[in-house]
Amino acid sequence: MPTARESLLQAAEAALAARPWPAVRMVEVAAAAGVSRQTLYNEFGGKAGLGRALVRRAADWYLDGVERALAAPAARTAAERLAAVAEWTVRAARARSLVRALLTGSWGPALPAPPPPGSRQAIGPGELTRAVRDRAAAALPYEPVRRCELAVRLALSYVVAPGEDPGREPAAELLRLLSAPSRTAGGR
């Protein structure tokens, strides 16, 4: 059985999926979670706290997916694992508006406000990009960090500017780039 906090976050996500954040009412979130409004306020302090928790939950959900992509079967190459991270990034951004906002830094009025920059809870495109890059580098210790970052940045380009074929995933392009022989400064 989910905790009150988990139930409240699920109810708030469902409410946010149905209407813009300014139209989400705390009393409705509490009722949908099966708890009192006071429990909601005790847990999050108010609507802003609930919104910050939703943003953090979206970031955690996205990073959990990155971990799953990197933990693919051992038979997969590093390039294929990085391509899986890129595909996940594009799919996650398309599936959840909060993830897209976190990855791009583009927050619309229909979303809860992100934690303020410099705050302990702040997370944005730079922090997420570094978190993904660092996770990839740790999971693929023989893969150069710059190639891990390339995977993240290419995926983000597909999130920001999907191109003419929005159904096309970045995996094929990423595999081509990652499989190309590395050039040294003197070999350009």
Side-chain angles (χ1 to χ4, degrees):
M1 183 167 185
T3 65
R5 182 179 184 85
E6 183 62 27
S7 295
L8 286 162
L9 287 169
Q10 288 172 358
E13 277 184 344
L16 182 59
R19 58 191 164 279
W21 185 246
V24 172
R25 298 197 42 206
M26 299 293 274
V27 67
E28 293 168 354
V29 171
V35 302
S36 71
R37 191 171 56 173
Q38 187 59 51
T39 298
L40 189 152
Y41 281 95
N42 289 345
E43 193 65 45
F44 298 104
K47 190 170 181 179
L50 178 60
R52 284 190 301 276
L54 283 176
V55 170
R56 181 74 249 174
R57 181 181 169 100
D60 291 343
W61 176 80
Y62 167 69
L63 290 172
D64 287 347
V66 168
E67 296 279 348
R68 285 190 303 278
L70 289 169
R76 295 184 70 186
T77 67
E80 289 170 329
R81 288 182 189 192
L82 290 173
V85 169
E87 285 180 4
W88 165 249
T89 297
V90 173
R91 282 194 324 270
R94 288 181 185 153
R96 295 199 179 176
S97 57
L98 278 176
V99 171
R100 181 179 174 83
L102 282 163
L103 289 168
T104 63
S106 179
W107 292 86
L111 298 175
S119 73
R120 202 181 86 224
Q121 302 123 341
I123 187 159
E127 291 88 0
L128 273 182
T129 300
R130 285 187 294 279
V132 174
R133 179 201 61 207
D134 294 348
R135 281 170 168 75
L140 307 167
Y142 301 107
E143 191 67 22
V145 172
R146 68 177 180 76
R147 288 166 55 111
C148 296
E149 188 159 346
L150 171 66
V152 176
R153 294 196 178 278
L154 179 65
L156 288 177
S157 73
Y158 276 79
V159 170
V160 173
E164 293 179 23
D165 182 9
R168 184 173 162 225
E169 302 297 343
E173 180 67 12
L174 182 61
L175 282 171
R176 184 185 67 71
L177 289 171
L178 292 174
S179 300
S182 183
R183 294 185 193 176
T184 61
R188 284 197 251 181

